Amino acid sequence: MRNSFTSLFTLIFTFVGSLSFAQKGPKNFPKNCLLVENIACPDRVQFGIQKLADALTDQGFKVKLVHKMGTEKLQQTAVIYISQFGKPMMHIAEKSLQIHQNLMEKKEAFHIVSDKKNEYLIVGSDSSGVLYGCLELADRLKKLGHLPASIDFQDQPQMVLRGACIGLQKTTLLPGRGTYEYPITPQNFPWFYNKKLWIKYLNMLVENRMNTLYLWSGHPFASLVRLKKYPYAVEVDSATFLKNEAMYKFLTHEADKRGIWVIQAFYNIIVSKPFAERHHIKTQDRSRPIIPLIADYTRRSIAAFVEKYPNVGLLVTLGEAMQGSGPDDVNWFSKTIIPGVKDGLKALGKTQEPPIILRAHDTNAPDDLKAAKKVYSNLFTMAKYNGEALTTYEPRGSWAALHKELSEISPVLVENVHIMANLEPFRYGADDFIQKCVQAMHKIDGANGLHLYPQASYWDWPYAADKADPRLLEMDRDWIWYAEWSRYAWNCDRSRSSEFDYWSGKLADKYGCNIEVAKSILTAYEQSGEIAPKLLRRYGITDGNRQTLTLGMFMSELIHPTKYGLFTLLYSSESPKGEMLTEYAKKDWLHQPHMGETPTLIAKEVIENGRNAVNAINAASPYIKKDTAEFNRLKNDIYSYNLLANFYSQKAKAALCVLRYKYSNNISDLEKALPYLESSVQYFSDLAMITKNTYLYANSMQTSQRKIPISGKDGKNKTWVELLPLYQKELANFKKNIQALKFHKNIQSEDTRSIALQNASVNFLDGKTNNFIVVKNARPFLDTAVGIEEVAPVLRGLKALSFSRINQQENGTLLHFKNDKKVQLLIGYFVNKSKTYLSEPELETDASANEYGQAETKIANAVLVPGFPSVNVHSFSFAPGEHSFQLGDGECLVLGFIDGNKKLVPYDAALGTNGEDKDLDWLFQ
């Protein structure tokens, strides 16, 4: 009969109390203790029991553990029965407590109930429910100092999956490798082999009631499995391979004890570097088609992983490293990935399908799911909540509609709170904003899962960006980030007044102050927490991590965002209805009514938010008794947010004056902008001063993918001190050009925009090419008679290549060429999201979109072709050598090659814009 008692047992605690403890507890509280536990309960339940026993011991209880009930008479004893729902021990407890248990059979649910005889029952719907019930009683014990005299509390989580992620990523690319390509080695990730660190992190997760841990990697398989057919594909040496096996076993076991499901994320299509070298292919190439070799390697890798680590889940990203939505995505998921999982299950002799989580990133997830359901039933989905930032708790538009659709066709939709590019590196703990976001996940997006990124320093985990010796651990620094999101993932419908008191109590404990002082600290968190979301959603270029909001923006980016690859989803779906700076200026000039959240409203609000936050943190400052070093770091972050708010507010006002000049041609409008711009630079100077000795960097990804306000290539331009001279130069140029305008009415910048670019020599290796000279009336396509109507002067005379539109749509554009000197290839993209046209490089969805320096638009609105959208020109840089270059499916203009050392200053030729997009960048150059 003993096995029938698995997951059920009786706990009886007898406590020998000291006089001081007896004074804290209720009268006639038990004095003696006996703990009885079933011998065969699961590890997860044992972990919960141990946590409860530890809490009792910490409060002065003397705990003795035995495995069967004695017959001796117990006096002054507190009895705690613990059982899974429906098991015999639950019924024994019901009789003793004279209750009837009606716990809902929902996963992870629990019920704690007691009577006046010092008897308690913890019952869980499953082993996780038992675990959480034990943790709940332990928490109450710590808070009260004794067991509650009476309790009747039932609870269960609202979110099915509640998890956090860790990236097996680095701040910079490894030599000779692409994005996300980081083998798991002690050299790359020494922390991965630190068991003590893992235990600390897993304990943090379970304390916050999280039940999933995501590990992100581009291609983890070559560090974790060895394939019989491709033994050379392994990327690590034998000793490291054994270490990785041991660590994975350790991690998954320790996670499972805490009710945590480990999920491995990976990208497609990426192969290992040794495999690629053996077969003379690239590790990743977004434009290449699916080939049998890569499909076979990937399928076998997944099968081997599932067979070796059957309790580890899979999170699949179809897009980014392979071309976006289309038949390849559908086929790859249904005919390679899922068969790989099924092969692994077959090898294990299992038929029950574990969940596969499909990430809706750069792919048509509904189409992928519809096809995949024909071969696999247990499919979950994941989508980014506010892109790679945090902007609003009012998601809307097409993005919200996609979330809703996914929630209706998948049993679990996980909301991915991703990267936080607009929050790093400053601390964030706005519980009110976070609670509203989780409510929106449920009510607007229909989600029932949370996937939480670190609040900052994802690429530098486990460390935070703060200058400290020893360095701060991100999980310690950002404790409140994890605590708030996880609390609301469990239950987002708690009352605001009780939540303000709850978090104030947490802060009072942390900083050794009274509750009123703690309320000031929480107010500072809440007020500063409005600033970054408001700034990005009203002034930003993108919700992606190619923009570091806290490093500011240049005037050109504010007054002409489309030139910098404006990601319109930020405004149409991830912001409340409102206006951009350019829209506001146009309406203002035309005397049209404004709508919704305006740039001027935000400029005013963020200053008020910053002022309120500073006043609140200053009010608390004299009364801090504990952890003063961390409080001072928090205080400095609040000051930083205030300065950032004022910097943006003043610069936005300057931008509106400059945009008005576009219509008025009145120099007085530029003169009105000057004091605002001067003020913004002063605020940024102050920001540089207070971060100089407190932060190592503003952004943890320090590669060329960082584009706004400026490239982060080679780890540069990552601090405010580095950016300050650039903003000072921008101001100086503006002053100079205003003065020049007063004496020379028609002055323009001294650049080469009217001087035609010169052709560079390349040899084509695939036979005859079809060329045309870029001039008016030239025909850019072989199968269309339409000719060029107008072209930017710099492009005239270039030797371009013509292709069939139909062939470009179906097969992409392929060039084989050899060049003796460095060259740049100019590609014209039609500005239209239709699948007919080749999409412009977009770092939001394609991490390799700047591999050739192509991410930035070099000439906007550069070519007019009747019946076609406007054309933006990008440049691809090639070192001397032989190249086989493939562009994705879709129509584009191949405008020819120029000198690779020619610096192209980005500008807008404004063809076909009726002068509305008049380029004013020269004012700041």
Side-chain angles (χ1 to χ4, degrees):
M1 292 295 294
R2 179 169 303 223
N3 290 338
S4 68
F5 280 80
T6 299
S7 303
L8 53 100
F9 35 82
T10 306
L11 300 183
I12 302 177
F13 297 95
T14 306
F15 145 74
V16 181
S18 65
L19 178 61
S20 61
F21 184 85
Q23 289 173 341
K24 293 181 181 179
K27 293 180 180 180
N28 302 318
F29 201 79
K31 305 281 185 171
N32 302 299
C33 165
L34 185 65
L35 165 72
V36 181
E37 159 191 47
N38 183 272
I39 200 169
C41 62
D43 288 349
R44 190 171 301 178
V45 173
Q46 289 184 21
F47 182 85
I49 295 169
Q50 188 60 55
K51 287 294 183 182
L52 180 55
D54 290 345
L56 285 161
T57 301
D58 291 344
Q59 295 300 332
F61 283 83
K62 183 179 179 182
V63 179
K64 183 179 179 182
L65 175 64
V66 297
H67 293 301
K68 71 176 181 177
M69 190 70 175
T71 57
E72 66 272 25
K73 184 178 180 180
L74 300 173
Q75 295 180 346
Q76 293 187 335
T77 302
V79 181
I80 303 177
Y81 302 93
I82 301 180
S83 175
Q84 282 188 223
F85 183 79
K87 300 295 185 179
M89 189 56 65
M90 186 190 80
H91 301 309
I92 293 171
E94 286 179 331
K95 290 179 181 179
S96 180
L97 275 69
Q98 297 181 353
I99 63 170
H100 177 69
Q101 177 57 244
N102 60 353
L103 181 70
M104 293 172 56
E105 293 189 18
K106 184 176 181 179
K107 289 184 177 181
E108 303 179 307
F110 66 86
H111 189 188
I112 306 173
V113 64
S114 69
D115 65 1
K116 295 180 180 179
K117 297 184 294 183
N118 298 317
E119 291 185 313
Y120 300 80
L121 168 63
I122 300 174
V123 60
S125 62
D126 51 24
S127 58
S128 288
V130 176
L131 166 64
Y132 293 140
C134 290
L135 295 177
E136 176 66 28
L137 190 57
D139 287 347
R140 290 174 181 247
L141 178 64
K142 293 173 188 175
K143 183 176 181 179
L144 292 171
H146 56 78
L147 288 166
S150 177
I151 184 173
D152 187 352
F153 180 73
Q154 183 172 325
D155 205 5
Q156 65 278 320
Q158 293 174 334
M159 291 282 196
V160 175
L161 296 182
R162 309 169 305 280
C165 83
I166 291 174
L168 288 158
Q169 318 279 8
K170 298 181 73 65
T171 58
T172 57
L173 300 182
L174 295 178
R177 289 184 176 269
T179 307
Y180 306 128
E181 295 180 26
Y182 301 104
I184 305 173
T185 67
Q187 294 74 32
N188 289 336
F189 306 107
W191 54 264
F192 181 77
Y193 306 90
N194 186 335
K195 292 183 177 180
K196 185 177 179 180
L197 182 71
W198 276 121
I199 293 297
K200 178 181 175 70
Y201 184 76
L202 292 173
N203 283 342
M204 182 273 290
L205 294 183
V206 73
E207 286 164 9
N208 284 310
R209 311 304 192 261
M210 289 190 171
N211 64 2
T212 41
L213 166 61
Y214 299 83
L215 301 177
W216 283 65
S217 176
H219 185 67
F221 308 116
S223 296
L224 297 169
V225 296
R226 195 185 305 276
L227 306 181
K228 292 181 181 179
K229 186 174 181 180
Y230 307 111
Y232 49 83
V234 176
E235 292 192 291
V236 299
D237 59 49
S238 296
T240 299
F241 189 83
L242 293 175
K243 287 182 180 179
N244 291 348
E245 286 183 320
M247 283 307 305
Y248 232 72
K249 182 178 180 181
F250 166 82
L251 174 59
T252 53
H253 175 70
E254 290 296 329
D256 185 68
K257 274 173 35 178
R258 294 161 175 80
I260 297 168
W261 179 34
V262 177
I263 300 173
Q264 181 65 62
F266 64 99
Y267 288 87
N268 291 288
I269 302 174
I270 301 178
V271 299
S272 77
K273 187 175 177 63
F275 182 88
E277 291 172 345
R278 180 71 167 260
H279 295 282
H280 307 290
I281 60 176
K282 293 182 178 180
T283 54
Q284 53 182 302
D285 184 350
R286 183 177 170 86
S287 299
R288 71 181 166 201
I290 296 173
I291 59 175
L293 172 68
I294 293 177
D296 184 63
Y297 167 75
T298 302
R299 178 172 175 171
R300 289 176 185 273
S301 295
I302 292 170
F305 183 85
V306 171
E307 181 181 1
K308 190 172 185 178
Y309 305 105
N311 297 319
V312 179
L314 291 175
L315 169 60
V316 181
T317 298
L318 288 179
E320 191 150 358
M322 69 183 292
Q323 189 168 332
S325 60
D328 279 358
D329 291 29
V330 171
N331 291 332
W332 188 252
F333 191 44
S334 298
K335 298 181 180 180
T336 297
I337 292 174
I338 290 176
V341 173
K342 296 176 80 170
D343 290 346
L345 293 174
K346 183 178 180 181
L348 290 168
K350 293 186 176 182
T351 57
Q352 184 176 355
E353 298 175 346
I356 300 174
I357 305 176
L358 171 66
R359 183 174 170 229
H361 175 72
D362 192 29
T363 187
N364 189 321
D367 285 354
D368 298 331
L369 285 172
K370 289 171 187 175
K373 281 183 176 180
K374 297 176 183 177
V375 294
Y376 201 88
S377 60
N378 202 4
L379 298 170
F380 295 178
T381 56
M382 175 186 290
K384 293 177 181 176
Y385 173 61
N386 283 166
E388 295 175 347
L390 188 65
T391 58
T392 185
Y393 43 79
E394 298 176 320
R396 60 189 180 92
S398 61
W399 193 235
L402 174 63
H403 284 235
K404 193 67 175 176
E405 181 181 3
L406 292 174
S407 73
E408 291 170 352
I409 62 177
S410 172
V412 176
L413 168 62
V414 181
E415 292 288 291
N416 184 353
V417 181
H418 196 86
I419 290 291
M420 304 300 100
N422 65 325
L423 302 187
E424 68 172 344
F426 305 132
R427 288 157 177 78
Y428 192 93
D431 68 298
D432 54 345
F433 198 100
I434 289 173
Q435 183 178 18
K436 290 174 183 174
C437 286
V438 180
Q439 290 171 342
M441 292 175 181
H442 285 291
K443 297 173 183 178
I444 299 176
D445 291 342
N448 55 354
L450 172 72
H451 172 290
L452 185 66
Y453 261 62
Q455 190 257 296
S457 301
Y458 165 75
W459 305 90
D460 198 21
W461 203 89
Y463 300 111
D466 303 69
K467 279 187 179 179
D469 188 17
R471 289 191 68 182
L472 303 182
L473 291 177
E474 185 274 335
M475 73 178 93
D476 290 338
R477 191 199 88 147
D478 297 325
W479 66 274
I480 199 169
W481 171 261
Y482 292 102
E484 288 175 346
W485 282 102
S486 59
R487 180 171 172 82
Y488 298 124
W490 185 278
N491 181 1
C492 68
D493 295 322
R494 310 170 198 262
S495 73
R496 279 307 311 148
S497 59
S498 65
E499 287 307 284
F500 195 82
D501 291 341
Y502 173 84
W503 292 112
S504 296
K506 290 287 187 183
L507 292 167
D509 291 342
K510 180 172 179 60
Y511 293 116
C513 58
N514 65 39
I515 198 72
E516 293 305 315
V517 171
K519 286 181 178 179
S520 291
I521 301 173
L522 187 57
T523 296
Y525 266 127
E526 292 185 347
Q527 288 292 313
S528 64
E530 294 284 342
I531 294 171
K534 287 178 177 178
L535 291 176
L536 186 66
R537 73 190 189 210
R538 204 44 59 202
Y539 306 137
I541 299 291
T542 172
D543 69 1
N545 64 16
R546 66 184 171 99
Q547 175 166 6
T548 303
L549 178 86
T550 54
L551 285 177
M553 294 173 66
F554 291 107
M555 284 293 290
S556 176
E557 293 161 345
L558 289 171
I559 65 176
H560 201 167
T562 54
K563 189 168 69 175
Y564 297 91
L566 178 67
F567 192 64
T568 55
L569 201 67
L570 171 62
Y571 291 93
S572 64
S573 288
E574 297 161 2
S575 302
K577 289 183 179 179
E579 298 172 5
M580 298 176 60
L581 283 162
T582 50
E583 293 173 311
Y584 185 93
K586 181 178 180 180
K587 284 188 174 183
D588 205 51
W589 176 254
L590 297 174
H591 303 290
Q592 294 176 346
H594 296 289
M595 177 195 70
E597 188 179 80
T598 64
T600 53
L601 176 66
I602 291 303
K604 179 181 178 181
E605 286 186 359
V606 294
I607 289 178
E608 184 177 352
N609 292 138
R611 180 172 58 249
N612 291 342
V614 167
N615 289 341
I617 204 71
N618 285 343
S621 189
Y623 306 102
I624 303 304
K625 300 294 192 298
K626 285 169 53 181
D627 209 352
T628 54
E630 173 58 19
F631 177 82
N632 288 331
R633 286 189 284 261
L634 171 61
K635 182 178 178 180
N636 198 70
D637 282 358
I638 300 299
Y639 284 10
S640 297
Y641 263 128
N642 179 53
L643 293 171
L644 188 72
N646 279 276
F647 163 80
Y648 270 103
S649 178
Q650 296 299 301
K651 200 153 192 176
K653 292 173 184 176
L656 286 173
C657 293
V658 173
L659 287 167
R660 185 174 181 83
Y661 169 77
K662 182 173 71 171
Y663 300 102
S664 70
N665 289 313
N666 191 330
I667 295 176
S668 67
D669 286 325
L670 299 181
E671 292 178 318
K672 291 175 183 176
L674 185 56
Y676 291 131
L677 193 57
E678 289 175 327
S679 178
S680 75
V681 172
Q682 183 58 56
Y683 280 118
F684 198 89
S685 177
D686 294 342
L687 181 58
M689 286 295 294
I690 70 168
T691 55
K692 181 178 181 180
N693 297 316
T694 57
Y695 277 104
L696 297 169
Y697 53 78
N699 46 36
S700 60
M701 188 177 72
Q702 295 148 18
T703 71
S704 60
Q705 286 177 261
R706 291 284 187 182
K707 304 297 292 185
I708 310 295
I710 195 169
S711 173
K713 186 178 181 181
D714 300 326
K716 296 178 180 178
N717 302 315
K718 61 187 178 185
T719 68
W720 299 265
V721 171
E722 289 176 281
L723 268 292
L724 178 59
L726 303 181
Y727 292 129
Q728 291 171 330
K729 182 179 180 181
E730 180 183 61
L731 173 61
N733 288 339
F734 187 52
K735 288 181 178 179
K736 175 192 68 177
N737 287 325
I738 288 176
Q739 290 302 312
L741 271 175
K742 290 181 178 180
F743 298 100
H744 305 283
K745 298 286 185 180
N746 296 318
I747 189 170
Q748 292 288 329
S749 62
E750 295 179 4
D751 59 28
T752 57
R753 296 177 192 179
S754 60
I755 301 175
L757 296 167
Q758 299 299 307
N759 290 294
S761 176
V762 299
N763 295 317
F764 293 97
L765 304 177
D766 49 2
K768 182 182 177 182
T769 59
N770 296 289
N771 298 105
F772 71 94
I773 303 301
V774 180
V775 292
K776 187 175 182 178
N777 297 324
R779 297 181 179 181
F781 296 111
L782 296 174
D783 50 359
T784 302
V786 67
I788 292 173
E789 180 180 313
E790 195 172 353
V791 62
V794 292
L795 300 174
R796 293 172 188 165
L798 287 180
K799 188 177 181 181
L801 287 83
S802 56
F803 293 87
S804 159
R805 292 175 60 197
I806 300 300
N807 191 58
Q808 283 187 322
Q809 291 174 24
E810 295 177 351
N811 303 307
T813 303
L814 178 63
L815 297 174
H816 294 284
F817 62 92
K818 181 179 181 181
N819 51 299
D820 296 328
K821 297 180 179 179
K822 183 179 178 181
V823 296
Q824 295 177 73
L825 171 63
L826 302 184
I827 301 294
Y829 292 86
F830 294 104
V831 185
N832 188 295
K833 294 295 184 181
S834 166
K835 292 183 179 180
T836 300
Y837 304 110
L838 178 64
S839 297
E840 289 187 78
E842 190 176 83
L843 283 166
E844 283 78 9
T845 56
D846 177 11
S848 63
N850 201 42
E851 182 180 356
Y852 299 91
Q854 75 271 30
E856 186 177 38
T857 300
K858 293 300 177 14
I859 311 174
N861 299 299
V863 182
L864 289 183
V865 181
F868 286 77
S870 60
V871 174
N872 289 346
V873 175
H874 294 244
S875 67
F876 292 72
S877 182
F878 296 90
E882 189 173 313
H883 305 278
S884 180
F885 179 64
Q886 174 78 53
L887 288 167
D889 298 347
E891 300 170 35
C892 65
L893 301 180
V894 182
L895 296 170
F897 292 86
I898 63 170
D899 184 349
N901 296 312
K902 173 68 176 178
K903 182 174 176 57
L904 296 175
V905 179
Y907 79 103
D908 192 338
L911 300 182
T913 63
N914 298 318
E916 285 191 4
D917 284 335
K918 182 167 59 177
D919 197 329
L920 298 176
D921 285 0
W922 62 271
L923 288 167
F924 307 97
Q925 297 170 351

